[in-house]
Amino acid sequence: MMSTFNKRLLAGVFAVSVAACTPEAGETGSEILPNNSGAAHAVAPSNGVPADVIELHKSMLVMDTHLDTPAFFHTDSYTFSERGSYGADGTQVDLPRMNDGGLDGGFWVIYTAQGPLDEASYAAARNSALLRQMAIREFAAKYADEVELAFTADDAERIASEGKKVVYQSIENSYPLGTDVSLLETFYIGGVRMVGPVHGRDNQFADSATDVTNNAYGGLSPLGEELVAKANELGMILDASHAADETVYDMIEASTTPIIFSHTGVDGMYEHFRNIPDELLIAVAEDGGVIQMNALGAYLELLEPSPERTEALEALTAQYGEFSEMDAETQAAYREARREVDAQFPAPQSSFEKFMEQTLYALELVGPDHVGMGADWDGGGGVEGMIDITFLPKVTAALLDAGYSEEDVEKFWSGNMLRLLREAEAARTSTLTSPKILN
């Protein structure tokens, strides 16, 4: 039965929406980058959420399991300590907005684009991934008064209680490991605690959900099974986001600990290669795993771009080629050209209501012990009415309004994910450790 407190929460939650238009976010883990606009807030916004709900939200440990923000590190347009604007610079996460939205931190992503399966490409990808991890550690050192690297489940609450933001690390796409899974040890020492085998195309480890051209292995490859074993040995959470259904089943079978979808949607509400069928989500939940709900509009509903936008984007591809194959100079030129297209022909947007429909569907299907938040911020996530992290209290309000308890909401924001991390830690057999700083 819903409490009196819960019944009065959402009088105007769904009334707020934000006009839309977005710049290219650069090389992140997303395939589709929604385009929305919204002016930067001069003061912390309420977004239609009652003050007592905001206070409750900010009293919780609020985490997101997929922050693609490191894609903006070492760029001229981004400064973590300064407030950005999605409409102006395409960013969604920075310190002022984390404070506004009550986001305590989460998993900051080491993403590497998929390339050819050859030794030279593996080496280039390895260098890119190591540099991305170095950038995350540099970020933590530069802002040591505001953020702190996290290595264990217990670190999160301690860091947040000290008024700092929590910086876990994850690998999206294990392609940079090449054919030597022992390289995962190096990333572990640097702080990685979650790893996903595959991204948008099949690779040496597994079949991808969105590569329908081949299905080379019918799930995990033998090397992928070695990767799962190494992750278990190190005490990493295994991330099945972007994996083909057969790959996910293989991961459940091979892993000694439950798996996570760090940023994924549900097929029962909208059929898409990246979304998870009910029977697979139930299997993951029965194994103890968790789905973290994605807010990338193309995975929430069918979004048809205008003919003008489609034509303009096709022209960009013809001129510049595939983004993952561009050099840095070409990528910079592409981003600028993409911003012009986005401004002239904005992409269609999904909505906060659609995001909540998927979230509530997943909660109803597998229960509050198995659902959380991984919106894909700075990697394509964001919808009208929830365009950046300042809107996170709306999610808390909507969950309470739907009848979920404060305890359920706390599980959604961090409890479920931290349970998986603790289980991974308890099962690890490695003696490797991670230094908090580089002396």
Side-chain angles (χ1 to χ4, degrees), residues 27 320 323-335:
E27 186 185 352
Y320 293 99
F323 188 87
S324 63
E325 299 174 3
M326 301 176 195
D327 58 30
E329 183 178 353
T330 306
Q331 285 183 356
Y334 173 87
R335 289 190 189 102

Side-chain angles (χ1 to χ4, degrees), residues 27 48 58 78 85 113 143 156 172 261 265 349 397 420:
E27 186 185 352
K58 291 190 174 183
Y78 182 80
S85 166
Y143 296 102
E172 182 179 31
F261 297 105
Q349 295 303 303
L420 261 59

Side-chain angles (χ1 to χ4, degrees), residues 33-252:
L33 299 168
N35 294 342
N36 302 286
S37 67
H41 298 286
V43 296
S46 69
N47 297 317
V49 180
D52 52 356
V53 181
I54 294 176
E55 182 179 2
L56 173 64
H57 173 84
K58 291 190 174 183
S59 73
M60 296 178 178
L61 181 61
V62 175
M63 309 279 280
D64 188 288
T65 50
H66 197 81
L67 303 172
D68 266 311
T69 310
F72 288 105
F73 294 173
H74 291 181
T75 63
D76 294 336
S77 62
Y78 182 80
T79 302
F80 174 70
S81 60
E82 298 177 3
R83 183 184 298 277
S85 166
Y86 192 41
D89 57 27
T91 66
Q92 296 168 306
V93 178
D94 52 43
L95 183 59
R97 285 182 284 182
M98 290 181 81
N99 290 332
D100 287 353
L103 180 62
D104 292 302
F107 279 86
W108 303 67
V109 177
I110 300 168
Y111 165 72
T112 311
Q114 182 68 43
L117 304 183
D118 58 59
E119 291 303 320
S121 300
Y122 292 150
R126 176 200 64 207
N127 293 342
S128 176
L130 288 169
L131 286 169
R132 181 62 57 85
Q133 182 175 52
M134 289 170 60
I136 294 172
R137 291 185 64 97
E138 288 172 354
F139 152 75
K142 178 178 180 179
Y143 296 102
D145 291 339
E146 288 83 26
V147 311
E148 185 176 330
L149 293 171
F151 303 99
T152 69
D154 289 343
D155 283 342
E157 187 171 350
R158 175 188 59 78
I159 292 169
S161 70
E162 294 171 0
K164 297 180 181 181
K165 305 305 180 186
V166 182
V167 182
Y168 288 110
Q169 298 172 51
S170 64
I171 290 176
E172 182 179 31
N173 196 6
S174 293
Y175 168 69
L177 301 179
T179 56
D180 181 7
V181 298
S182 69
L183 182 56
L184 195 59
E185 296 177 357
T186 301
F187 285 101
Y188 177 89
I189 292 169
V192 166
R193 294 297 183 268
M194 182 189 297
V195 59
V198 70
H199 192 251
R201 289 159 53 192
D202 298 347
N203 65 13
Q204 68 271 38
F205 297 106
D207 293 340
S208 166
T210 47
D211 188 344
V212 296
T213 61
N214 191 4
N215 291 117
Y217 309 108
L220 286 172
S221 71
L223 190 63
E225 293 176 355
E226 291 182 30
L227 177 69
V228 170
K230 177 59 70 172
N232 287 159
E233 174 190 329
L234 292 169
M236 291 184 183
I237 301 173
L238 281 154
D239 182 7
S241 301
H242 289 282
D245 293 354
E246 296 83 0
T247 300
V248 180
Y249 281 114
D250 283 353
M251 291 174 70
I252 295 171

